[in-house]
Amino acid sequence: LEAFNIFRKKINNTELHLFGNGYDSKGDNFEHMKKAGLNNQVFYRGEFSYNKLMQELASSDVLLHTSKEESFGNILIEAMACGVPVIAGENSGAIPWVLDYGKAGCLVNIKSPQEIAEKLELLITNKKKYKEYSINGINNLRNRFTQKIVCQKYINEYKRIINESSTYI
């Protein structure tokens, strides 16, 4: 929220929508951020059904995902499938790998509101960069995360394990 407030000083006509458990207008997060003065143009939307959340994502301009840790991040894949560029943590678990080490999404230090704000500004103001991340995200998804590709990787791994274990029998 600090990053969004920095960003809004340059580009005022923007909104931040927060989704998920604890991010509704009656939750602790809302009250805490209200006291800190960080709720201007921030909408606490709460929990949604999967289908409704995907509709919301598809109509978004950017996915800002500042999680400290992520084991995989299906929401990153879902954003790429919608052509929505992603900004996420450079040291947040599997995120760099999922975003092809910055080719398919902006990687940032999530502890730096200034850096996050700069990436938001870049994507919102630079149509060429926006389109580049959007296309690279879609291509990353097609080249690494389709059902066929993922299933084949599992099959290859099973074969490798079987081959290795048979040498010990």
Side-chain angles (χ1 to χ4, degrees), residues 5 15 20-21 36 40-41 55 57 61 63 65 74 95 108 111 124 129 137 141 156 158:
N5 276 280
E15 299 175 349
N21 184 20
N40 194 13
Q41 289 301 102
Q55 289 173 351
L57 178 60
D61 295 314
L63 172 67
H65 189 279
N74 282 337
I95 286 175
V108 296
K111 296 178 182 176
I124 297 302
K129 274 291 183 193
L141 176 71
N156 293 346
Y158 289 140

Side-chain angles (χ1 to χ4, degrees), residues 73-101:
N74 282 337
I75 193 69
L76 305 173
I77 300 296
E78 291 155 342
M80 287 187 283
C82 295
V84 174
V86 176
I87 298 172
E90 65 189 4
N91 294 309
S92 300
I95 286 175
W97 177 78
V98 172
L99 295 179
D100 201 14
Y101 302 97

Side-chain angles (χ1 to χ4, degrees), residues 60-72:
S60 298
D61 295 314
V62 174
L63 172 67
L64 180 57
H65 189 279
T66 54
S67 175
K68 292 179 183 176
E69 183 66 36
E70 191 68 66
S71 61
F72 181 74

Side-chain angles (χ1 to χ4, degrees), residues 21-38:
N21 184 20
Y23 292 101
D24 56 60
S25 60
K26 295 177 183 158
D28 291 339
N29 290 312
F30 176 83
E31 289 303 322
H32 179 70
M33 293 302 134
K34 183 178 178 182
K35 287 177 186 172
L38 297 174

Side-chain angles (χ1 to χ4, degrees), residues 105-119:
C106 296
L107 296 173
V108 296
N109 175 356
I110 63 164
K111 296 178 182 176
S112 172
Q114 184 64 44
E115 187 177 337
I116 295 167
E118 288 169 5
K119 291 297 183 183

Side-chain angles (χ1 to χ4, degrees), residues 157-169:
E157 187 63 15
Y158 289 140
K159 286 179 180 178
R160 184 190 67 74
I161 291 168
I162 290 167
N163 287 336
E164 277 185 14
S165 64
S166 67
T167 61
Y168 297 109
I169 297 176

